[in-house]
Amino acid sequence: MTQQIELSGVNKYYGAYHALRDINLAIPKGAFVALVGPSGCGKSTLLRSLAGLETISSGDLVIAGERMNDMPPRKRDLAMVFQSYALYPHMTVEQNLTYSLRIKGVKKAEAKKAAEEVAAITGLSDLLHRYPRELSGGQRQRVAMSRAIIRHPKAFLFDEPLSNLDAALRVHMRKEIRALHDRLGATSVYVTHDQVEAMTMADHVVIMRAGVIEQQGRPLDLYDRPANRFVAGFIGSPAMNFIPARVAEDGRSVLLDLPGSQVLAIDFSLPPGHAVLVGIRPEHLKIASAGQSGFDVSIAAVESTGATTFVTTATTPEITFLLNERSSLEAGEKVRLTFEGKNIHVFDAESEQRLGT
Ligand SMILES: Nc1ncnc2c1ncn2[C@@H]1O[C@H](COP(=O)(O)OP(=O)(O)OP(=O)(O)O)[C@@H](O)[C@H]1O
Ligand SMILES: [Mg+2]
């Protein structure tokens, strides 16, 4: 497959600070890639390095087959869409859209036609004469998008474009941006710290921590087979539970460090007593029926949002599980929780890497 953007062995230092560490990433033409990770992990640095707003310290950056390491931003032919839309307040929507074409010497009539075409795609046709102050947040975001589209860039780079919008509009704009991406056959790199946004919008999710790519892949593959504890805890809400456990005498099963623990078969073998963490997602825990094996907990809190009830336990560490029906469960009650062995994830307690399949 042709790669539209390819980074190999990319490092970035700010003085002595190592902000990007050996980044390897291949983005096929037409892909929608999300970069996600906690604040300060290097998402914006990676995006700005693509755009040429930062110079990489080592490694290679190739865009559409051409090495771009030292190429100035305007020659990389990428469009950056920020969270602050940076529209020109004294210009109409149409003028905002045509500005970049006009300074490149495109004739007025031709630029106007291009603006009308893009406005038809982004649903701004009726708003071309308005000023930015006369637009809603979502409409301004669309103008910012349109201004990028009109340049036919090799890729779109988004840095948290929706973080200024309210929750409902954000959900709507996610769909709109993804639909636009598909309609244009664009290649997009989208930075967000919101894992739900990353999971729902992207074909390929890249999870970063402290300048390192911890794991990348298709959204549900990351969810089903997180490579380490960090990824396991980062993807999914409420987060995966991690319960300390030990390998049993036979070396082929584990026991949770909780009273009444069932024996859990594992598909790898380790010395008896080896410390591991068993990861269980909240939706995979159920209240056991009589005689069923599991482990025993007492309830600390029961919170209902209407559709879902979130229950936390008085264990260390605290465990969260979900009930999809209304529940009469109360704080202080003792229950047995159970789960299917196929739904557990086992991590080495020390390295925090995934063990087994
Ligand atoms: N110009 C700079 N000089 C020195 N350090 C910088 C510079 N820009 C960023 N950093 C540092 O590099 C690290 C990565 O920053 P970056 O802005 O890429 O994070 P981010 O993942 O985008 O975070 P956020 O989600 O908060 O936007 C941070 O520790 C930041 O302090
Ligand atoms: Mg950032």
Side-chain angles (χ1 to χ4, degrees):
M1 199 181 297
T2 49
Q3 305 300 344
Q4 186 72 344
I5 299 177
E6 220 168 346
L7 297 117
S8 5
V10 167
N11 287 280
K12 168 68 185 173
Y13 289 88
Y14 291 114
Y17 184 74
H18 199 173
L20 294 178
R21 298 166 179 253
D22 190 28
I23 300 293
N24 294 290
L25 179 60
I27 301 176
K29 198 165 190 221
F32 195 110
V33 173
L35 303 180
V36 66
S39 184
C41 70
K43 305 179 295 293
S44 296
T45 300
L46 182 47
L47 205 70
R48 293 170 55 81
S49 299
L50 293 179
L53 302 173
E54 302 287 353
T55 312
I56 58 177
S57 310
S58 65
D60 271 318
L61 165 59
V62 175
I63 298 171
E66 200 178 343
R67 191 168 179 275
M68 291 280 172
N69 287 35
D70 305 309
M71 195 70 87
R74 69 196 149 73
K75 292 202 172 153
R76 296 191 186 196
D77 209 4
L78 303 171
M80 192 112 175
V81 185
F82 297 96
Q83 67 169 251
S84 51
Y85 325 110
L87 302 179
Y88 300 113
H90 58 285
M91 292 185 191
T92 63
V93 170
E94 182 177 314
Q95 288 163 340
N96 265 283
L97 295 189
T98 54
Y99 184 73
S100 69
L101 300 180
R102 298 285 289 139
I103 56 175
K104 272 202 278 183
V106 174
K107 294 267 179 323
K108 198 168 180 179
E110 198 181 323
K112 184 174 163 60
K113 187 159 164 277
E116 283 165 359
E117 277 169 15
V118 170
I121 296 171
T122 54
L124 291 173
S125 298
D126 296 335
L127 305 175
L128 284 169
H129 60 279
R130 295 238 192 126
Y131 286 89
R133 65 172 180 276
E134 299 168 331
L135 300 174
S136 73
Q139 290 165 340
R140 277 179 221 166
Q141 186 54 253
R142 267 188 247 160
V143 178
M145 289 275 302
S146 307
R147 209 168 47 172
I149 293 168
I150 206 166
R151 293 169 40 207
H152 298 292
K154 291 204 180 80
F156 293 92
L157 309 178
F158 297 92
D159 197 348
E160 312 231 16
L162 306 182
S163 46
N164 285 343
L165 306 180
D166 70 43
L169 186 54
R170 217 158 57 211
V171 172
H172 174 77
M173 289 302 295
R174 275 182 205 162
K175 293 209 181 84
E176 216 170 276
I177 290 176
R178 179 65 220 223
L180 259 177
H181 164 97
D182 292 339
R183 209 176 311 150
L184 296 167
T187 304
S188 301
V189 185
Y190 190 101
V191 164
T192 174
H193 60 263
D194 181 340
Q195 50 111 359
V196 174
E197 201 161 284
M199 297 286 284
T200 52
M201 291 180 82
D203 315 306
H204 188 86
V205 174
V206 177
I207 300 181
M208 296 180 67
R209 172 171 63 162
V212 173
I213 294 181
E214 291 281 343
Q215 192 175 1
Q216 52 177 311
R218 287 185 299 186
L220 291 181
D221 289 346
L222 299 182
Y223 190 86
D224 292 338
R225 272 186 51 78
N228 55 48
R229 184 198 172 145
F230 173 76
V231 172
F234 192 79
I235 299 282
S237 174
M240 186 185 282
N241 298 295
F242 297 100
I243 305 173
R246 290 194 179 272
V247 175
E249 280 308 316
D250 62 1
R252 302 287 304 170
S253 57
V254 296
L255 280 170
L256 306 179
D257 292 349
L258 285 173
S261 169
Q262 72 200 71
V263 177
L264 300 162
I266 48 178
D267 59 359
F268 53 90
S269 142
L270 277 173
H274 189 92
V276 298
L277 284 171
V278 169
I280 312 173
R281 295 205 180 274
E283 66 269 31
H284 291 142
L285 285 167
K286 303 267 173 302
I287 294 179
S289 42
Q292 224 178 350
S293 68
F295 59 93
D296 301 324
V297 296
S298 64
I299 303 301
V302 181
E303 297 162 303
S304 184
T305 61
T308 307
T309 303
F310 298 80
V311 187
T312 49
T313 65
T315 46
T316 314
E318 182 182 271
I319 294 167
T320 302
F321 63 99
L322 305 178
L323 298 170
N324 285 322
E325 62 284 355
R326 297 289 165 94
S327 167
S328 57
L329 208 59
E330 280 178 22
E333 264 184 80
K334 290 190 167 37
V335 294
R336 172 164 286 190
L337 294 180
T338 190
F339 54 90
E340 290 182 55
K342 68 173 168 61
N343 288 328
I344 64 166
H345 306 260
V346 186
F347 304 96
D348 189 272
E350 199 173 303
S351 72
E352 303 196 334
Q353 296 301 306
R354 182 184 193 87
L355 296 168
T357 51

